[in-house]
Amino acid sequence: MIRSRFLFSFLLLLISIIPFSLKAQYTDFKMRLGLEVEKEIIDNLDAHIELEQRYMHNISSYDKTFVEPSLSYNISKHFSTGIIWRIQIRENNSYKMFSEQRYSAFVKYDVSYLDFKLKLRSILQYGFDDITNAGFSVDQKLINRNSVQVDYDWFGKKIKPGIKFELFHHLNHPNGSILNQWRLKAGASYLLSKHSNIDVYYMFENEFNVVKPVDAHIIGVKYGYKF
């Protein structure tokens, strides 16, 4: 009962801080295709590598590609921490390819209640961000991302529907720290075998307090394999 009340109160708090004044200049439809591999190195220490291809402008043009290796360590049954390194390739306004990098650290808390699993995560990242019209120079931004996710074990645990909310806080903005983006994601993960799964999702992304903000409707598919 205490956990369910905590979950309900936390979701209400997040919803209350979502900036509902949508002032996006235009709306876009995007697609993401991903692959993720995970391997346990030693007890409680896992290595991950993720590859993702993104498309924008109503899925009519290439957006970006990134490779993201990471390490995560389980501090206890419910707490974990880790580091992430992202190498990204995309086009500039002259259609020339260039690369940029981003470094992140995170802490995560997981807890299960009945058939539900609650995941809370806070990330501190330094480097570029994913704002659509942020510019094409390597912008060294310090961003704090906080998210809450709820998954549900369904149909004998073969399929797990879930919903996730994430809020972005630009800490070193020239005008002071500001909120500039939020995401709401809904989808499901299907267990293909003991080691593999496929995720299908829809995500709505709203940018604000930035130049030329965008509302993005995103569909995505990701295949995961765990050794």
Side-chain angles (χ1 to χ4, degrees):
M1 179 64 69
I2 294 176
R3 289 179 177 176
S4 61
R5 288 179 179 176
F6 168 77
L7 174 58
F8 181 72
S9 299
F10 194 85
L11 291 175
L12 284 180
L13 175 62
L14 284 177
I15 292 173
S16 68
I17 62 176
I18 296 176
F20 282 103
S21 56
L22 306 181
K23 299 179 180 179
Q25 180 170 337
Y26 66 92
T27 300
D28 196 9
F29 186 62
K30 303 180 180 182
M31 175 183 285
R32 298 180 179 181
L33 302 175
L35 170 67
E36 183 176 16
V37 177
E38 178 181 348
K39 169 70 175 178
E40 184 179 54
I41 302 176
I42 58 175
D43 288 345
N44 297 317
L45 181 63
D46 296 334
H48 307 251
I49 186 165
E50 184 175 355
L51 172 68
E52 187 169 276
Q53 176 78 52
R54 297 182 178 181
Y55 300 90
M56 61 180 181
H57 298 152
N58 296 319
I59 321 181
S60 65
S61 61
Y62 168 80
D63 183 10
K64 63 192 70 170
T65 301
F66 72 76
V67 177
E68 186 175 86
S70 63
L71 291 173
S72 63
Y73 179 75
N74 296 320
I75 300 173
S76 66
K77 180 180 179 180
H78 299 295
F79 284 95
S80 61
T81 186
I83 54 175
I84 307 169
W85 176 38
R86 179 176 293 191
I87 311 166
Q88 181 168 280
I89 299 173
R90 59 173 173 163
E91 291 180 340
N92 61 17
N93 289 324
S94 300
Y95 301 103
K96 293 182 180 180
M97 305 297 292
F98 75 103
S99 63
E100 51 193 353
Q101 301 181 50
R102 186 169 80 194
Y103 310 92
S104 307
F106 69 87
V107 291
K108 185 169 66 173
Y109 174 76
D110 296 351
V111 64
S112 298
Y113 178 70
L114 298 177
D115 292 329
F116 294 91
K117 187 169 186 178
L118 171 67
K119 301 177 182 179
L120 306 177
R121 187 175 71 164
S122 181
I123 301 177
L124 187 65
Q125 69 181 41
Y126 180 75
F128 64 89
D129 66 7
D130 293 322
I131 297 295
T132 306
N133 295 294
F136 292 94
S137 61
V138 178
D139 214 351
Q140 303 307 318
K141 298 180 178 180
L142 186 63
I143 306 290
N144 177 224
R145 300 166 55 179
N146 294 294
S147 64
V148 56
Q149 179 175 343
V150 179
D151 295 330
Y152 178 64
D153 286 339
W154 197 24
F155 294 154
K157 298 187 178 180
K158 277 285 187 179
I159 186 170
K160 294 183 179 179
I163 187 167
K164 178 181 179 180
F165 172 77
E166 187 170 24
L167 186 65
F168 292 68
H169 188 185
H170 187 173
L171 300 176
N172 63 342
H173 191 277
N175 297 328
S177 64
I178 62 169
L179 301 175
N180 64 358
Q181 188 179 27
W182 64 269
R183 293 172 175 170
L184 186 62
K185 178 181 178 181
S189 178
Y190 183 77
L191 189 64
L192 298 172
S193 68
K194 181 180 179 181
H195 299 285
S196 64
N197 66 281
I198 187 166
D199 296 343
V200 180
Y201 62 87
Y202 162 79
M203 180 163 63
F204 177 75
E205 184 177 78
N206 172 242
E207 301 170 358
F208 55 98
N209 290 329
V210 296
V211 178
K212 297 181 180 179
V214 175
D215 285 344
H217 299 276
I218 304 165
I219 57 171
V221 179
K222 182 172 72 174
Y223 173 79
Y225 188 88
K226 184 174 182 179
F227 290 95

